[in-house]
Amino acid sequence: MTWRFRNSQLSGKQPRSIWLLSAILFTSGLDGGFILLPLIEFPQYQEKNIYSFTNPLAIELGFWGITAWTLYYVSTLYFLTLEPKLQLFSKQWVQKLSALVVIITCAFTLSLFTQLVPFYLSERHSDHPLFTFIILLVIILTALVISTRISLMMRISQLSVLIFIGLWSYLALSSQFDSQTLISSIDLGADYLTSLHKFIVPFNDYHEFYLAWWLTWSIMLGQFVARFVSGLKPLPLFIVMTLLPLIPCFLWFALLFHLEQSHFTLTTEVKWCLLLLALAFVINSLDFMVENYSRAFNIGLQDIGKSRFIIINSLLLLTLSYLFQLQLIFVQWSAFVVILLFYLLIGYKKLPTPYFTRSTKKPVANADRCTHTSNIGDQTTTDGMS
C-alpha cells in the first residue's frame, strides 16, 4: 500500500498538525504499562537465559518497538486508502466483531493498571479490594466523560506528553543521566537493530503476550488515528507513526534502565508521579476505545442518554476487568478475534483489481497521481481515483 499510494495526499475526517497527531498516537497507542512495566521487567530480562541473546534495554525496545508501530501504521494506511472504497468496516457484523475486540481491550487495559499499582505502592493499601474498585471506577468515569468530546481527548493527549517530558527531565537530572550515559544507552539500544529479526515472531510466552497486545490494538487505533492525518503521503506518515515514536520510547527506557542499574531509590512522591502519568496514558487509551465500541453497540451518549451511558458502560467495563483479574479471559483471545476478522474479511470480499494491477487499457485507477482524502467515520470520500 505504501508503494501503491506513494504520491497520494492522505487526510482524515478531522485533520490536525503533525505535533497533535504524534501526541495522540503516542498517548493513545501506549497505555500505563509503558510507564510502569520496564522497572519491573528489567530484572527478569537480566536473570532469565532466554533473554541472554541481547541486553535488557534492547529487549524492552524490541517488545515496544518497530513491530507495534508498524502494525499501527499499516492499519491507519488501510483506513485512509482502501477502506473508503471497500467499505468493509461499514458492515454491521464487522463493526460488532471489531467493537467486541475493543471492549475486551478496554478491560485488559484497566486490569493491567490495577495489577501494576502494588509494585509502586505499599501492599497495605494497594491490595485492598475497595482500593482496586475505586481506582477502576475513577478511571472508567473519567474516560467516559472524555470520550464524549474529541477536543477534550486531544487536550488530554497534549497535556500527557508535556507531563511525560517534565517527569523525564526531573528524573534525568535527579539520577545524573548525562550525555555519557546517553551514549552508552545508545550503544546498548543499537543491539535491538541487530536482533530485530528475533522480535518478529514470538520466542516465548511473554513475547507472545506483547504481540497479542499490539495486534489487538492495531485495528481500533488505525481507525482512530486516521481521523487526524492531514495531507501526508505514505512515506512521511510511516516516519511519523513508526520511527518518530521510537525516540521518546528509547529515551524513557534508557532512563529507567539507568535508574535500575544505578539502584536509584524512587521516593514516594516520584512513585505517585509515575502512577499519575500512567493513569493519564490509560485514560488516553480508554477514551477513544469507549467512543468506538459504544457507537457500534448503540450504547453511546446520544443513543441512551447520559445516565444510562455512564451506568451501563461502567458496569460492563468493571465486570470485564474483574474477569481479567480472575484470569477467566485473556488478551490473546482478542488477538485471535482480530486474526479471525482478517480472514473473514478476505473471504467476504475480494479486493478490486485496480488496486493491485496496472491496466493496459483505459486507466480506471491511478493512485500514483491522485489526491486522496478520507473522511473516516462518516464514510464519505473525495478521491481522485474514481
Side-chain angles (χ1 to χ4, degrees):
M1 287 191 295
T2 299
W3 175 255
R4 182 60 181 165
F5 296 97
R6 62 190 179 279
N7 292 324
S8 301
Q9 297 283 343
L10 306 174
S11 293
K13 180 182 177 182
Q14 299 168 299
R16 294 294 187 272
S17 66
I18 290 181
W19 150 248
L20 191 52
L21 174 66
S22 300
I24 293 170
L25 173 67
F26 185 65
T27 55
S28 299
L30 301 168
D31 68 5
F34 169 72
I35 303 297
L36 303 179
L37 273 173
L39 286 175
I40 301 170
E41 292 172 332
F42 283 139
Q44 301 177 36
Y45 298 157
Q46 291 176 311
E47 296 169 2
K48 295 184 178 180
N49 290 331
I50 195 167
Y51 302 111
S52 61
F53 62 89
T54 188
N55 61 81
L57 178 56
I59 294 290
E60 201 70 61
L61 284 170
F63 282 3
W64 296 82
I66 292 176
T67 303
W69 299 106
T70 300
L71 283 172
Y72 295 163
Y73 162 73
V74 171
S75 177
T76 301
L77 187 60
Y78 167 82
F79 283 103
L80 286 167
T81 56
L82 297 181
E83 175 59 21
K85 284 286 186 181
L86 302 180
Q87 298 286 300
L88 295 179
F89 280 80
S90 65
K91 309 297 180 184
Q92 191 174 39
W93 68 270
V94 177
Q95 292 179 356
K96 301 294 185 187
L97 200 56
S98 177
L100 178 63
V101 173
V102 174
I103 195 169
I104 292 175
T105 308
C106 282
F108 163 74
T109 300
L110 289 165
S111 175
L112 178 64
F113 180 75
T114 57
Q115 291 176 43
L116 295 177
V117 168
F119 289 93
Y120 291 85
L121 295 181
S122 63
E123 295 183 1
R124 185 167 60 91
H125 300 293
S126 57
D127 279 351
H128 198 285
L130 180 60
F131 182 81
T132 302
F133 175 80
I134 292 173
I135 288 180
L136 287 173
L137 190 60
V138 169
I139 296 174
I140 290 170
L141 292 177
T142 306
L144 290 176
V145 171
I146 295 175
S147 69
T148 61
R149 297 178 59 186
I150 293 292
S151 60
L152 192 54
M153 289 187 199
M154 292 186 287
R155 291 194 186 114
I156 296 296
S157 294
Q158 294 180 82
L159 180 60
S160 300
V161 170
L162 294 176
I163 295 174
F164 172 81
I165 294 172
L167 183 58
W168 186 94
S169 301
Y170 173 78
L171 288 174
L173 290 173
S174 301
S175 63
Q176 299 181 338
F177 185 81
D178 53 20
S179 58
Q180 188 61 44
T181 307
L182 178 60
I183 293 173
S184 300
S185 299
I186 292 175
D187 290 337
L188 292 173
D191 285 349
Y192 162 54
L193 299 178
T194 60
S195 305
L196 185 61
H197 61 284
K198 293 184 178 292
F199 295 97
I200 297 176
V201 295
F203 58 80
N204 68 352
D205 290 343
Y206 196 56
H207 188 211
E208 180 185 90
F209 157 76
Y210 264 101
L211 290 177
W213 189 352
W214 304 137
L215 188 61
T216 299
W217 282 58
S218 58
I219 293 179
M220 58 189 174
L221 193 73
Q223 285 180 293
F224 182 66
V225 173
R227 299 183 188 183
F228 308 109
V229 176
S230 178
L232 291 177
K233 293 182 179 181
L235 184 57
L237 182 64
F238 174 81
I239 294 172
V240 169
M241 292 195 65
T242 304
L243 302 182
L244 197 59
L246 288 178
I247 298 174
C249 285
F250 166 75
L251 291 174
W252 181 249
F253 295 150
L255 174 62
L256 294 186
F257 188 59
H258 169 67
L259 297 181
E260 197 274 336
Q261 291 291 91
S262 60
H263 305 288
F264 183 82
T265 302
L266 298 177
T267 64
T268 303
E269 292 77 15
V270 170
K271 290 179 179 179
W272 273 105
C273 287
L274 287 169
L275 286 171
L276 291 175
L277 179 59
L279 181 63
F281 272 66
V282 169
I283 292 172
N284 276 303
S285 301
L286 287 179
D287 52 23
F288 84 89
M289 288 193 281
V290 169
E291 189 264 346
N292 182 302
Y293 81 74
S294 63
R295 184 177 65 250
F297 286 133
N298 298 319
I299 52 174
L301 181 64
Q302 296 180 348
D303 298 312
I304 57 178
K306 185 176 181 180
S307 299
R308 294 178 65 190
F309 169 73
I310 292 175
I311 294 172
I312 291 175
N313 284 280
S314 296
L315 290 175
L316 192 57
L317 291 174
L318 281 170
T319 301
L320 289 172
S321 298
Y322 278 110
L323 289 177
F324 262 107
Q325 291 186 10
L326 295 172
Q327 296 187 350
L328 295 177
I329 53 177
F330 305 91
V331 71
Q332 288 88 338
W333 293 2
S334 55
F336 172 77
V337 175
V338 171
I339 296 173
L340 177 64
L341 183 58
F342 287 155
Y343 279 104
L344 288 175
L345 289 176
I346 291 172
Y348 178 79
K349 186 174 183 179
K350 292 183 178 180
L351 298 178
T353 301
Y355 283 105
F356 300 99
T357 62
R358 292 181 182 273
S359 174
T360 56
K361 300 179 182 179
K362 182 179 178 181
V364 178
N366 190 346
D368 297 342
R369 293 194 296 270
C370 76
T371 298
H372 189 107
T373 304
S374 306
N375 287 332
I376 305 299
D378 58 2
Q379 303 296 339
T380 60
T381 304
T382 303
D383 194 338
M385 292 166 52
S386 56

